[in-house]
Amino acid sequence: MEIKELALVVFTVLTQAAIGAFVLIGWLRLRNRDEAMDPAYRKAVLALVPIMAIAMLASLFHLGRPMLAITAMRNLATSWLSREIFFSGGFFVLLCASAALEKSPAVRRIFDGLAALAGVLSIISMASLYDVTMIPAWQGWGTYVAFVGTALMVGLGLAAGLVAYFGRGSAGVAGDLQVLVGAAVVSLVIGLVAYPLYLVLLGGGGAEAQATLSMLGGEYGMALVLRWALTLAGGLVPLILSWRRLASGKATGGLVYTALVCLLAGELVGRYLFYATGVIIHIG
Protein backbone atom coordinates (compact mmCIF):
# COMPACT_ATOMS: atom_id res chain seq x y z
CA MET A 1 0.00 0.00 0.00
CA GLU A 2 1.30 3.47 -0.94
CA ILE A 3 1.61 6.49 1.37
CA LYS A 4 -1.37 8.10 -0.37
CA GLU A 5 -3.60 5.16 0.53
CA LEU A 6 -2.33 5.11 4.12
CA ALA A 7 -3.20 8.80 4.28
CA LEU A 8 -6.71 7.91 3.12
CA VAL A 9 -7.00 5.34 5.94
CA VAL A 10 -6.16 8.00 8.53
CA PHE A 11 -8.29 10.69 6.88
CA THR A 12 -11.47 8.67 6.49
CA VAL A 13 -11.39 6.92 9.87
CA LEU A 14 -10.51 10.00 11.94
CA THR A 15 -12.96 12.23 10.08
CA GLN A 16 -15.83 9.77 10.47
CA ALA A 17 -14.98 9.19 14.14
CA ALA A 18 -14.80 12.93 14.86
CA ILE A 19 -18.10 13.56 13.10
CA GLY A 20 -19.81 10.76 15.00
CA ALA A 21 -18.41 11.95 18.34
CA PHE A 22 -19.37 15.58 17.66
CA VAL A 23 -22.97 14.70 16.79
CA LEU A 24 -23.25 12.49 19.88
CA ILE A 25 -21.76 15.09 22.21
CA GLY A 26 -24.12 17.67 20.75
CA TRP A 27 -27.04 15.33 21.42
CA LEU A 28 -25.88 14.82 25.01
CA ARG A 29 -25.75 18.59 25.52
CA LEU A 30 -29.36 18.88 24.40
CA ARG A 31 -30.45 15.84 26.42
CA ASN A 32 -28.65 16.59 29.67
CA ARG A 33 -29.50 19.92 31.26
CA ASP A 34 -27.03 19.37 34.13
CA GLU A 35 -24.87 22.52 34.07
CA ALA A 36 -22.13 20.67 35.97
CA MET A 37 -21.48 18.60 32.82
CA ASP A 38 -21.18 21.58 30.48
CA PRO A 39 -17.41 22.04 31.03
CA ALA A 40 -16.91 18.38 30.10
CA TYR A 41 -18.89 18.78 26.88
CA ARG A 42 -17.00 21.97 26.03
CA LYS A 43 -13.61 20.32 26.52
CA ALA A 44 -14.71 17.23 24.60
CA VAL A 45 -15.64 19.34 21.56
CA LEU A 46 -12.36 21.21 21.83
CA ALA A 47 -10.47 17.89 21.88
CA LEU A 48 -12.04 16.99 18.52
CA VAL A 49 -10.32 19.94 16.83
CA PRO A 50 -6.77 18.44 16.81
CA ILE A 51 -8.21 15.07 15.76
CA MET A 52 -9.84 16.69 12.73
CA ALA A 53 -6.67 18.72 12.08
CA ILE A 54 -4.71 15.46 11.79
CA ALA A 55 -7.39 14.06 9.47
CA MET A 56 -7.27 17.13 7.22
CA LEU A 57 -3.46 17.02 7.15
CA ALA A 58 -3.63 13.37 6.10
CA SER A 59 -6.00 14.32 3.27
CA LEU A 60 -3.35 16.68 1.91
CA PHE A 61 -0.82 13.84 1.79
CA HIS A 62 -3.32 11.89 -0.28
CA LEU A 63 -3.78 14.70 -2.77
CA GLY A 64 -0.04 15.14 -3.25
CA ARG A 65 -0.71 18.66 -4.55
CA PRO A 66 -2.82 20.38 -1.86
CA MET A 67 -3.82 23.28 -4.12
CA LEU A 68 -5.78 20.79 -6.21
CA ALA A 69 -8.32 20.62 -3.37
CA ILE A 70 -9.38 24.21 -4.13
CA THR A 71 -9.61 23.43 -7.85
CA ALA A 72 -11.58 20.24 -7.21
CA MET A 73 -14.30 22.13 -5.35
CA ARG A 74 -15.31 23.83 -8.61
CA ASN A 75 -17.22 20.67 -9.54
CA LEU A 76 -19.64 20.49 -6.58
CA ALA A 77 -22.61 19.94 -8.89
CA THR A 78 -21.18 16.83 -10.53
CA SER A 79 -18.31 15.40 -8.46
CA TRP A 80 -18.53 13.38 -5.24
CA LEU A 81 -14.82 14.12 -4.66
CA SER A 82 -15.57 17.85 -4.72
CA ARG A 83 -18.41 17.33 -2.27
CA GLU A 84 -16.22 15.22 0.02
CA ILE A 85 -13.57 17.96 0.13
CA PHE A 86 -16.15 20.71 0.58
CA PHE A 87 -18.19 19.07 3.35
CA SER A 88 -15.18 17.63 5.23
CA GLY A 89 -13.42 20.99 5.16
CA GLY A 90 -16.69 22.69 6.07
CA PHE A 91 -17.16 20.41 9.07
CA PHE A 92 -13.64 21.23 10.30
CA VAL A 93 -14.20 24.98 9.98
CA LEU A 94 -17.61 24.80 11.68
CA LEU A 95 -16.18 22.57 14.43
CA CYS A 96 -13.52 25.18 15.15
CA ALA A 97 -16.19 27.89 15.15
CA SER A 98 -18.31 25.88 17.60
CA ALA A 99 -15.34 25.44 19.93
CA ALA A 100 -14.59 29.17 19.74
CA LEU A 101 -18.17 30.27 20.45
CA GLU A 102 -18.67 28.60 23.83
CA LYS A 103 -19.33 31.95 25.47
CA SER A 104 -22.23 32.60 23.07
CA PRO A 105 -24.47 29.52 23.50
CA ALA A 106 -27.26 30.65 21.16
CA VAL A 107 -24.86 31.34 18.28
CA ARG A 108 -22.88 28.20 19.06
CA ARG A 109 -25.96 26.03 18.73
CA ILE A 110 -26.48 27.34 15.20
CA PHE A 111 -22.92 26.39 14.28
CA ASP A 112 -23.39 23.03 16.00
CA GLY A 113 -26.34 22.27 13.74
CA LEU A 114 -24.46 23.38 10.62
CA ALA A 115 -21.40 21.34 11.62
CA ALA A 116 -23.51 18.23 12.22
CA LEU A 117 -25.18 18.65 8.81
CA ALA A 118 -21.82 19.15 7.08
CA GLY A 119 -20.47 16.09 8.86
CA VAL A 120 -23.33 13.84 7.78
CA LEU A 121 -23.04 15.08 4.18
CA SER A 122 -19.29 14.49 4.34
CA ILE A 123 -19.79 10.80 5.23
CA ILE A 124 -22.42 10.38 2.51
CA SER A 125 -20.08 12.01 -0.02
CA MET A 126 -17.19 9.74 0.98
CA ALA A 127 -19.26 6.59 0.58
CA SER A 128 -20.81 7.77 -2.68
CA LEU A 129 -17.37 8.54 -4.09
CA TYR A 130 -16.33 4.90 -3.68
CA ASP A 131 -19.72 3.56 -4.77
CA VAL A 132 -19.21 4.98 -8.29
CA THR A 133 -15.75 3.47 -8.80
CA MET A 134 -14.90 0.45 -10.99
CA ILE A 135 -14.10 -1.63 -7.89
CA PRO A 136 -16.97 -4.05 -7.04
CA ALA A 137 -15.89 -4.46 -3.40
CA TRP A 138 -16.52 -0.75 -2.92
CA GLN A 139 -19.87 -0.62 -4.70
CA GLY A 140 -23.28 -0.93 -3.07
CA TRP A 141 -24.46 -0.79 0.52
CA GLY A 142 -21.30 -2.27 2.05
CA THR A 143 -19.29 0.95 1.84
CA TYR A 144 -22.14 3.05 3.27
CA VAL A 145 -22.53 0.62 6.19
CA ALA A 146 -18.76 0.59 6.79
CA PHE A 147 -18.40 4.38 6.82
CA VAL A 148 -21.51 5.04 8.88
CA GLY A 149 -20.44 2.15 11.13
CA THR A 150 -17.11 3.83 11.82
CA ALA A 151 -18.87 7.07 12.68
CA LEU A 152 -21.11 5.18 15.09
CA MET A 153 -18.74 2.63 16.65
CA VAL A 154 -15.62 4.76 16.97
CA GLY A 155 -17.67 7.93 17.40
CA LEU A 156 -19.49 6.40 20.36
CA GLY A 157 -16.22 5.15 21.81
CA LEU A 158 -14.55 8.52 21.31
CA ALA A 159 -17.47 10.44 22.80
CA ALA A 160 -17.55 8.07 25.78
CA GLY A 161 -13.80 8.35 26.30
CA LEU A 162 -13.83 12.15 26.17
CA VAL A 163 -16.86 12.47 28.43
CA ALA A 164 -15.39 9.97 30.89
CA TYR A 165 -12.08 11.85 31.01
CA PHE A 166 -13.32 15.43 31.16
CA GLY A 167 -16.38 14.61 33.26
CA ARG A 168 -14.62 12.51 35.89
CA GLY A 169 -15.84 13.43 39.35
CA SER A 170 -19.17 14.74 38.06
CA ALA A 171 -22.36 13.02 39.17
CA GLY A 172 -23.88 13.29 35.70
CA VAL A 173 -21.15 11.44 33.84
CA ALA A 174 -22.41 7.94 34.71
CA GLY A 175 -25.76 8.50 32.99
CA ASP A 176 -24.10 9.76 29.80
CA LEU A 177 -21.66 6.88 29.76
CA GLN A 178 -24.37 4.30 30.23
CA VAL A 179 -26.21 5.62 27.17
CA LEU A 180 -23.06 5.84 25.02
CA VAL A 181 -21.68 2.46 26.07
CA GLY A 182 -25.03 0.73 25.55
CA ALA A 183 -25.39 2.26 22.08
CA ALA A 184 -21.82 1.24 21.23
CA VAL A 185 -22.55 -2.38 22.13
CA VAL A 186 -25.64 -2.38 19.90
CA SER A 187 -23.72 -0.82 16.98
CA LEU A 188 -20.97 -3.43 17.32
CA VAL A 189 -23.47 -6.27 17.25
CA ILE A 190 -25.05 -4.81 14.10
CA GLY A 191 -21.60 -4.54 12.51
CA LEU A 192 -20.85 -8.12 13.43
CA VAL A 193 -24.02 -9.23 11.61
CA ALA A 194 -23.50 -6.98 8.57
CA TYR A 195 -19.93 -8.03 7.76
CA PRO A 196 -20.67 -11.72 6.95
CA LEU A 197 -23.51 -10.51 4.70
CA TYR A 198 -20.98 -8.32 2.89
CA LEU A 199 -18.68 -11.33 2.42
CA VAL A 200 -21.61 -13.32 0.99
CA LEU A 201 -22.26 -10.45 -1.41
CA LEU A 202 -18.66 -10.59 -2.59
CA GLY A 203 -18.88 -14.34 -3.07
CA GLY A 204 -21.90 -13.94 -5.32
CA GLY A 205 -20.31 -11.18 -7.39
CA GLY A 206 -18.08 -11.19 -10.45
CA ALA A 207 -14.46 -12.24 -10.74
CA GLU A 208 -13.12 -9.04 -9.16
CA ALA A 209 -15.45 -9.26 -6.16
CA GLN A 210 -14.50 -12.90 -5.66
CA ALA A 211 -10.82 -11.93 -5.93
CA THR A 212 -11.34 -9.52 -3.02
CA LEU A 213 -12.98 -12.30 -1.01
CA SER A 214 -10.07 -14.61 -1.83
CA MET A 215 -7.55 -12.00 -0.65
CA LEU A 216 -9.44 -11.53 2.63
CA GLY A 217 -9.32 -15.27 3.23
CA GLY A 218 -5.75 -15.67 2.02
CA GLU A 219 -2.87 -13.20 2.14
CA TYR A 220 -4.83 -10.70 4.24
CA GLY A 221 -6.47 -13.32 6.46
CA MET A 222 -4.34 -12.54 9.52
CA ALA A 223 -5.06 -8.84 9.17
CA LEU A 224 -8.78 -9.63 9.04
CA VAL A 225 -8.48 -11.74 12.21
CA LEU A 226 -6.59 -8.90 13.90
CA ARG A 227 -9.25 -6.40 12.85
CA TRP A 228 -12.07 -8.38 14.47
CA ALA A 229 -9.99 -9.41 17.49
CA LEU A 230 -9.37 -5.74 18.24
CA THR A 231 -13.03 -4.86 17.65
CA LEU A 232 -14.60 -7.72 19.59
CA ALA A 233 -12.11 -8.80 22.25
CA GLY A 234 -10.60 -5.34 22.69
CA GLY A 235 -13.71 -3.26 22.09
CA LEU A 236 -16.93 -5.17 22.69
CA VAL A 237 -15.83 -7.10 25.80
CA PRO A 238 -14.61 -4.00 27.73
CA LEU A 239 -17.78 -2.15 26.72
CA ILE A 240 -20.01 -4.92 28.09
CA LEU A 241 -17.99 -5.01 31.31
CA SER A 242 -18.15 -1.24 31.48
CA TRP A 243 -21.92 -1.23 31.06
CA ARG A 244 -22.29 -3.74 33.89
CA ARG A 245 -20.05 -1.67 36.18
CA LEU A 246 -22.01 1.48 35.36
CA ALA A 247 -25.26 -0.31 36.21
CA SER A 248 -23.87 -1.10 39.67
CA GLY A 249 -22.52 2.42 40.19
CA LYS A 250 -18.82 1.58 39.85
CA ALA A 251 -16.07 3.56 38.09
CA THR A 252 -15.39 2.45 34.53
CA GLY A 253 -12.95 4.92 32.96
CA GLY A 254 -10.17 2.42 32.29
CA LEU A 255 -12.48 0.02 30.45
CA VAL A 256 -13.89 2.84 28.30
CA TYR A 257 -10.39 4.05 27.33
CA THR A 258 -9.33 0.49 26.48
CA ALA A 259 -12.41 0.00 24.29
CA LEU A 260 -11.78 3.31 22.50
CA VAL A 261 -8.15 2.46 21.65
CA CYS A 262 -9.06 -1.01 20.41
CA LEU A 263 -12.07 0.16 18.40
CA LEU A 264 -9.97 2.83 16.71
CA ALA A 265 -7.16 0.37 15.98
CA GLY A 266 -9.66 -2.17 14.64
CA GLU A 267 -11.23 0.36 12.29
CA LEU A 268 -7.81 1.50 11.04
CA VAL A 269 -6.93 -2.12 10.20
CA GLY A 270 -10.34 -2.62 8.63
CA ARG A 271 -9.96 0.49 6.46
CA TYR A 272 -6.49 -0.69 5.43
CA LEU A 273 -8.11 -3.93 4.23
CA PHE A 274 -10.77 -1.90 2.41
CA TYR A 275 -8.13 -0.22 0.26
CA ALA A 276 -5.66 -3.10 0.03
CA THR A 277 -8.16 -5.69 -1.27
CA GLY A 278 -10.07 -3.56 -3.75
CA VAL A 279 -9.77 -5.12 -7.24
CA ILE A 280 -10.65 -2.99 -10.26
CA ILE A 281 -12.81 -4.31 -13.09
CA HIS A 282 -10.73 -5.06 -16.18
CA ILE A 283 -12.47 -4.22 -19.44
CA GLY A 284 -11.47 -5.97 -22.65
mmCIF file of all heavy atoms in Angstrom, residues 47-81:
data_model
loop_
_atom_site.group_PDB
_atom_site.id
_atom_site.type_symbol
_atom_site.label_atom_id
_atom_site.label_comp_id
_atom_site.label_asym_id
_atom_site.label_seq_id
_atom_site.Cartn_x
_atom_site.Cartn_y
_atom_site.Cartn_z
ATOM 1 N N ALA A 47 -11.409 18.977 22.126
ATOM 2 C CA ALA A 47 -10.466 17.887 21.875
ATOM 3 C C ALA A 47 -10.632 17.307 20.466
ATOM 4 O O ALA A 47 -9.702 16.692 19.927
ATOM 5 C CB ALA A 47 -10.649 16.786 22.914
ATOM 6 N N LEU A 48 -11.812 17.489 19.874
ATOM 7 C CA LEU A 48 -12.037 16.986 18.519
ATOM 8 C C LEU A 48 -11.316 17.818 17.465
ATOM 9 O O LEU A 48 -11.069 17.343 16.350
ATOM 10 C CB LEU A 48 -13.539 16.962 18.206
ATOM 11 C CG LEU A 48 -14.395 16.007 19.039
ATOM 12 C CD1 LEU A 48 -15.862 16.170 18.665
ATOM 13 C CD2 LEU A 48 -13.946 14.564 18.837
ATOM 14 N N VAL A 49 -10.973 19.057 17.804
ATOM 15 C CA VAL A 49 -10.317 19.941 16.829
ATOM 16 C C VAL A 49 -8.968 19.385 16.376
ATOM 17 O O VAL A 49 -8.712 19.272 15.172
ATOM 18 C CB VAL A 49 -10.174 21.370 17.393
ATOM 19 C CG1 VAL A 49 -9.352 22.240 16.446
ATOM 20 C CG2 VAL A 49 -11.557 21.991 17.606
ATOM 21 N N PRO A 50 -8.041 19.013 17.281
ATOM 22 C CA PRO A 50 -6.771 18.442 16.811
ATOM 23 C C PRO A 50 -6.945 17.112 16.092
ATOM 24 O O PRO A 50 -6.165 16.783 15.193
ATOM 25 C CB PRO A 50 -5.944 18.276 18.092
ATOM 26 C CG PRO A 50 -6.921 18.311 19.214
ATOM 27 C CD PRO A 50 -8.030 19.192 18.754
ATOM 28 N N ILE A 51 -7.961 16.338 16.460
ATOM 29 C CA ILE A 51 -8.214 15.072 15.763
ATOM 30 C C ILE A 51 -8.581 15.349 14.311
ATOM 31 O O ILE A 51 -8.068 14.716 13.382
ATOM 32 C CB ILE A 51 -9.331 14.281 16.468
ATOM 33 C CG1 ILE A 51 -8.860 13.827 17.848
ATOM 34 C CG2 ILE A 51 -9.755 13.062 15.630
ATOM 35 C CD1 ILE A 51 -9.940 13.168 18.686
ATOM 36 N N MET A 52 -9.466 16.325 14.096
ATOM 37 C CA MET A 52 -9.837 16.690 12.731
ATOM 38 C C MET A 52 -8.682 17.359 11.995
ATOM 39 O O MET A 52 -8.550 17.211 10.770
ATOM 40 C CB MET A 52 -11.051 17.615 12.743
ATOM 41 C CG MET A 52 -12.380 16.907 12.601
ATOM 42 S SD MET A 52 -12.509 15.823 11.146
ATOM 43 C CE MET A 52 -12.384 17.003 9.812
ATOM 44 N N ALA A 53 -7.835 18.090 12.719
ATOM 45 C CA ALA A 53 -6.673 18.719 12.082
ATOM 46 C C ALA A 53 -5.734 17.652 11.522
ATOM 47 O O ALA A 53 -5.205 17.787 10.412
ATOM 48 C CB ALA A 53 -5.938 19.608 13.087
ATOM 49 N N ILE A 54 -5.533 16.572 12.276
ATOM 50 C CA ILE A 54 -4.707 15.455 11.790
ATOM 51 C C ILE A 54 -5.349 14.823 10.565
ATOM 52 O O ILE A 54 -4.671 14.495 9.584
ATOM 53 C CB ILE A 54 -4.516 14.409 12.902
ATOM 54 C CG1 ILE A 54 -3.708 15.002 14.057
ATOM 55 C CG2 ILE A 54 -3.831 13.155 12.362
ATOM 56 C CD1 ILE A 54 -3.650 14.118 15.286
ATOM 57 N N ALA A 55 -6.671 14.649 10.601
ATOM 58 C CA ALA A 55 -7.387 14.062 9.466
ATOM 59 C C ALA A 55 -7.232 14.925 8.219
ATOM 60 O O ALA A 55 -6.978 14.416 7.120
ATOM 61 C CB ALA A 55 -8.862 13.891 9.805
ATOM 62 N N MET A 56 -7.375 16.236 8.368
ATOM 63 C CA MET A 56 -7.266 17.130 7.220
ATOM 64 C C MET A 56 -5.835 17.162 6.687
ATOM 65 O O MET A 56 -5.612 17.239 5.473
ATOM 66 C CB MET A 56 -7.715 18.543 7.606
ATOM 67 C CG MET A 56 -9.181 18.641 8.020
ATOM 68 S SD MET A 56 -10.334 17.981 6.787
ATOM 69 C CE MET A 56 -10.100 19.146 5.451
ATOM 70 N N LEU A 57 -4.851 17.083 7.585
ATOM 71 C CA LEU A 57 -3.458 17.022 7.149
ATOM 72 C C LEU A 57 -3.211 15.747 6.349
ATOM 73 O O LEU A 57 -2.527 15.761 5.315
ATOM 74 C CB LEU A 57 -2.535 17.079 8.367
ATOM 75 C CG LEU A 57 -1.023 17.037 8.072
ATOM 76 C CD1 LEU A 57 -0.611 18.240 7.233
ATOM 77 C CD2 LEU A 57 -0.228 17.008 9.380
ATOM 78 N N ALA A 58 -3.776 14.641 6.816
ATOM 79 C CA ALA A 58 -3.631 13.372 6.096
ATOM 80 C C ALA A 58 -4.243 13.465 4.704
ATOM 81 O O ALA A 58 -3.721 12.888 3.744
ATOM 82 C CB ALA A 58 -4.284 12.245 6.884
ATOM 83 N N SER A 59 -5.361 14.190 4.584
ATOM 84 C CA SER A 59 -6.003 14.319 3.270
ATOM 85 C C SER A 59 -5.097 15.056 2.287
ATOM 86 O O SER A 59 -5.123 14.785 1.085
ATOM 87 C CB SER A 59 -7.341 15.060 3.408
ATOM 88 O OG SER A 59 -7.150 16.438 3.672
ATOM 89 N N LEU A 60 -4.278 15.967 2.786
ATOM 90 C CA LEU A 60 -3.351 16.684 1.911
ATOM 91 C C LEU A 60 -2.252 15.762 1.396
ATOM 92 O O LEU A 60 -1.810 15.871 0.251
ATOM 93 C CB LEU A 60 -2.731 17.879 2.642
ATOM 94 C CG LEU A 60 -3.716 18.964 3.113
ATOM 95 C CD1 LEU A 60 -2.963 20.099 3.789
ATOM 96 C CD2 LEU A 60 -4.529 19.493 1.938
ATOM 97 N N PHE A 61 -1.805 14.825 2.241
ATOM 98 C CA PHE A 61 -0.815 13.839 1.791
ATOM 99 C C PHE A 61 -1.394 12.969 0.682
ATOM 100 O O PHE A 61 -0.696 12.560 -0.238
ATOM 101 C CB PHE A 61 -0.368 12.958 2.962
ATOM 102 C CG PHE A 61 0.691 13.577 3.813
ATOM 103 C CD1 PHE A 61 0.370 14.162 5.032
ATOM 104 C CD2 PHE A 61 2.013 13.589 3.396
ATOM 105 C CE1 PHE A 61 1.354 14.743 5.823
ATOM 106 C CE2 PHE A 61 3.013 14.156 4.190
ATOM 107 C CZ PHE A 61 2.673 14.741 5.400
ATOM 108 N N HIS A 62 -2.680 12.696 0.772
ATOM 109 C CA HIS A 62 -3.317 11.887 -0.277
ATOM 110 C C HIS A 62 -3.350 12.637 -1.602
ATOM 111 O O HIS A 62 -3.083 12.073 -2.667
ATOM 112 C CB HIS A 62 -4.733 11.518 0.133
ATOM 113 C CG HIS A 62 -5.593 11.070 -1.007
ATOM 114 N ND1 HIS A 62 -5.312 9.944 -1.739
ATOM 115 C CD2 HIS A 62 -6.711 11.615 -1.553
ATOM 116 C CE1 HIS A 62 -6.218 9.800 -2.693
ATOM 117 N NE2 HIS A 62 -7.069 10.796 -2.592
ATOM 118 N N LEU A 63 -3.671 13.923 -1.534
ATOM 119 C CA LEU A 63 -3.776 14.699 -2.766
ATOM 120 C C LEU A 63 -2.437 14.901 -3.451
ATOM 121 O O LEU A 63 -2.360 14.993 -4.669
ATOM 122 C CB LEU A 63 -4.409 16.071 -2.467
ATOM 123 C CG LEU A 63 -5.902 16.059 -2.126
ATOM 124 C CD1 LEU A 63 -6.339 17.436 -1.667
ATOM 125 C CD2 LEU A 63 -6.713 15.612 -3.331
ATOM 126 N N GLY A 64 -1.356 14.921 -2.651
ATOM 127 C CA GLY A 64 -0.043 15.143 -3.251
ATOM 128 C C GLY A 64 0.187 16.615 -3.562
ATOM 129 O O GLY A 64 1.193 17.198 -3.192
ATOM 130 N N ARG A 65 -0.774 17.232 -4.236
ATOM 131 C CA ARG A 65 -0.715 18.663 -4.547
ATOM 132 C C ARG A 65 -1.910 19.330 -3.873
ATOM 133 O O ARG A 65 -3.006 19.364 -4.430
ATOM 134 C CB ARG A 65 -0.755 18.876 -6.062
ATOM 135 C CG ARG A 65 0.453 18.304 -6.777
ATOM 136 C CD ARG A 65 0.247 18.248 -8.283
ATOM 137 N NE ARG A 65 0.026 19.569 -8.835
ATOM 138 C CZ ARG A 65 -0.327 19.792 -10.116
ATOM 139 N NH1 ARG A 65 -0.506 18.753 -10.940
ATOM 140 N NH2 ARG A 65 -0.508 21.020 -10.561
ATOM 141 N N PRO A 66 -1.710 19.856 -2.657
ATOM 142 C CA PRO A 66 -2.819 20.376 -1.862
ATOM 143 C C PRO A 66 -3.664 21.436 -2.567
ATOM 144 O O PRO A 66 -4.872 21.520 -2.334
ATOM 145 C CB PRO A 66 -2.115 20.972 -0.627
ATOM 146 C CG PRO A 66 -0.847 20.188 -0.516
ATOM 147 C CD PRO A 66 -0.432 19.897 -1.932
ATOM 148 N N MET A 67 -3.056 22.234 -3.444
ATOM 149 C CA MET A 67 -3.818 23.278 -4.117
ATOM 150 C C MET A 67 -4.902 22.706 -5.021
ATOM 151 O O MET A 67 -5.843 23.397 -5.393
ATOM 152 C CB MET A 67 -2.866 24.169 -4.930
ATOM 153 C CG MET A 67 -1.942 25.023 -4.071
ATOM 154 S SD MET A 67 -2.859 26.055 -2.888
ATOM 155 C CE MET A 67 -3.740 27.152 -4.017
ATOM 156 N N LEU A 68 -4.759 21.417 -5.387
ATOM 157 C CA LEU A 68 -5.781 20.787 -6.213
ATOM 158 C C LEU A 68 -7.114 20.680 -5.476
ATOM 159 O O LEU A 68 -8.169 20.563 -6.108
ATOM 160 C CB LEU A 68 -5.325 19.390 -6.648
ATOM 161 C CG LEU A 68 -4.201 19.334 -7.684
ATOM 162 C CD1 LEU A 68 -3.832 17.887 -7.962
ATOM 163 C CD2 LEU A 68 -4.613 20.033 -8.980
ATOM 164 N N ALA A 69 -7.073 20.700 -4.148
ATOM 165 C CA ALA A 69 -8.316 20.621 -3.368
ATOM 166 C C ALA A 69 -9.213 21.819 -3.676
ATOM 167 O O ALA A 69 -10.435 21.683 -3.804
ATOM 168 C CB ALA A 69 -7.995 20.575 -1.880
ATOM 169 N N ILE A 70 -8.608 23.004 -3.809
ATOM 170 C CA ILE A 70 -9.381 24.206 -4.129
ATOM 171 C C ILE A 70 -9.959 24.095 -5.530
ATOM 172 O O ILE A 70 -11.130 24.408 -5.781
ATOM 173 C CB ILE A 70 -8.495 25.461 -3.998
ATOM 174 C CG1 ILE A 70 -7.992 25.589 -2.556
ATOM 175 C CG2 ILE A 70 -9.264 26.698 -4.422
ATOM 176 C CD1 ILE A 70 -7.020 26.715 -2.347
ATOM 177 N N THR A 71 -9.139 23.597 -6.471
ATOM 178 C CA THR A 71 -9.605 23.426 -7.848
ATOM 179 C C THR A 71 -10.726 22.403 -7.925
ATOM 180 O O THR A 71 -11.712 22.577 -8.655
ATOM 181 C CB THR A 71 -8.441 22.974 -8.747
ATOM 182 O OG1 THR A 71 -7.371 23.930 -8.645
ATOM 183 C CG2 THR A 71 -8.875 22.861 -10.190
ATOM 184 N N ALA A 72 -10.594 21.320 -7.166
ATOM 185 C CA ALA A 72 -11.578 20.244 -7.214
ATOM 186 C C ALA A 72 -12.954 20.704 -6.767
ATOM 187 O O ALA A 72 -13.975 20.177 -7.221
ATOM 188 C CB ALA A 72 -11.116 19.072 -6.356
ATOM 189 N N MET A 73 -13.014 21.688 -5.876
ATOM 190 C CA MET A 73 -14.304 22.133 -5.353
ATOM 191 C C MET A 73 -15.125 22.908 -6.375
ATOM 192 O O MET A 73 -16.253 23.298 -6.117
ATOM 193 C CB MET A 73 -14.101 22.964 -4.083
ATOM 194 C CG MET A 73 -13.781 22.112 -2.867
ATOM 195 S SD MET A 73 -13.943 22.989 -1.298
ATOM 196 C CE MET A 73 -12.582 24.141 -1.398
ATOM 197 N N ARG A 74 -14.547 23.151 -7.564
ATOM 198 C CA ARG A 74 -15.308 23.830 -8.615
ATOM 199 C C ARG A 74 -16.396 22.929 -9.199
ATOM 200 O O ARG A 74 -17.295 23.401 -9.887
ATOM 201 C CB ARG A 74 -14.367 24.268 -9.739
ATOM 202 C CG ARG A 74 -13.331 25.315 -9.325
ATOM 203 C CD ARG A 74 -12.384 25.596 -10.468
ATOM 204 N NE ARG A 74 -11.340 26.555 -10.090
ATOM 205 C CZ ARG A 74 -10.301 26.883 -10.872
ATOM 206 N NH1 ARG A 74 -10.177 26.305 -12.076
ATOM 207 N NH2 ARG A 74 -9.418 27.739 -10.461
ATOM 208 N N ASN A 75 -16.305 21.631 -8.915
ATOM 209 C CA ASN A 75 -17.222 20.673 -9.536
ATOM 210 C C ASN A 75 -18.240 20.113 -8.546
ATOM 211 O O ASN A 75 -18.597 18.939 -8.606
ATOM 212 C CB ASN A 75 -16.421 19.521 -10.162
ATOM 213 C CG ASN A 75 -15.429 20.012 -11.182
ATOM 214 O OD1 ASN A 75 -15.756 20.826 -12.042
ATOM 215 N ND2 ASN A 75 -14.201 19.519 -11.098
ATOM 216 N N LEU A 76 -18.720 20.947 -7.622
ATOM 217 C CA LEU A 76 -19.644 20.486 -6.585
ATOM 218 C C LEU A 76 -20.927 19.894 -7.174
ATOM 219 O O LEU A 76 -21.508 18.968 -6.596
ATOM 220 C CB LEU A 76 -20.007 21.639 -5.656
ATOM 221 C CG LEU A 76 -18.981 22.005 -4.580
ATOM 222 C CD1 LEU A 76 -19.403 23.273 -3.859
ATOM 223 C CD2 LEU A 76 -18.809 20.872 -3.584
ATOM 224 N N ALA A 77 -21.347 20.396 -8.319
ATOM 225 C CA ALA A 77 -22.610 19.944 -8.894
ATOM 226 C C ALA A 77 -22.522 18.543 -9.478
ATOM 227 O O ALA A 77 -23.542 17.856 -9.603
ATOM 228 C CB ALA A 77 -23.074 20.919 -9.976
ATOM 229 N N THR A 78 -21.311 18.105 -9.817
ATOM 230 C CA THR A 78 -21.179 16.832 -10.529
ATOM 231 C C THR A 78 -20.222 15.833 -9.885
ATOM 232 O O THR A 78 -20.249 14.655 -10.232
ATOM 233 C CB THR A 78 -20.690 17.083 -11.971
ATOM 234 O OG1 THR A 78 -19.434 17.786 -11.931
ATOM 235 C CG2 THR A 78 -21.706 17.917 -12.752
ATOM 236 N N SER A 79 -19.372 16.254 -8.967
ATOM 237 C CA SER A 79 -18.308 15.398 -8.456
ATOM 238 C C SER A 79 -18.473 15.092 -6.973
ATOM 239 O O SER A 79 -18.547 16.003 -6.137
ATOM 240 C CB SER A 79 -16.945 16.061 -8.693
ATOM 241 O OG SER A 79 -15.922 15.371 -8.015
ATOM 242 N N TRP A 80 -18.498 13.769 -6.640
ATOM 243 C CA TRP A 80 -18.533 13.378 -5.237
ATOM 244 C C TRP A 80 -17.226 13.720 -4.533
ATOM 245 O O TRP A 80 -17.219 13.989 -3.326
ATOM 246 C CB TRP A 80 -18.827 11.896 -5.104
ATOM 247 C CG TRP A 80 -20.260 11.558 -5.349
ATOM 248 C CD1 TRP A 80 -20.788 10.847 -6.393
ATOM 249 C CD2 TRP A 80 -21.379 11.939 -4.538
ATOM 250 N NE1 TRP A 80 -22.156 10.763 -6.287
ATOM 251 C CE2 TRP A 80 -22.553 11.413 -5.149
ATOM 252 C CE3 TRP A 80 -21.512 12.655 -3.353
ATOM 253 C CZ2 TRP A 80 -23.815 11.595 -4.604
ATOM 254 C CZ3 TRP A 80 -22.784 12.840 -2.808
ATOM 255 C CH2 TRP A 80 -23.914 12.321 -3.436
ATOM 256 N N LEU A 81 -16.102 13.729 -5.263
ATOM 257 C CA LEU A 81 -14.823 14.117 -4.661
ATOM 258 C C LEU A 81 -14.875 15.578 -4.224
ATOM 259 O O LEU A 81 -14.423 15.924 -3.122
ATOM 260 C CB LEU A 81 -13.677 13.908 -5.657
ATOM 261 C CG LEU A 81 -12.291 14.383 -5.190
ATOM 262 C CD1 LEU A 81 -11.865 13.639 -3.929
ATOM 263 C CD2 LEU A 81 -11.258 14.198 -6.300
#
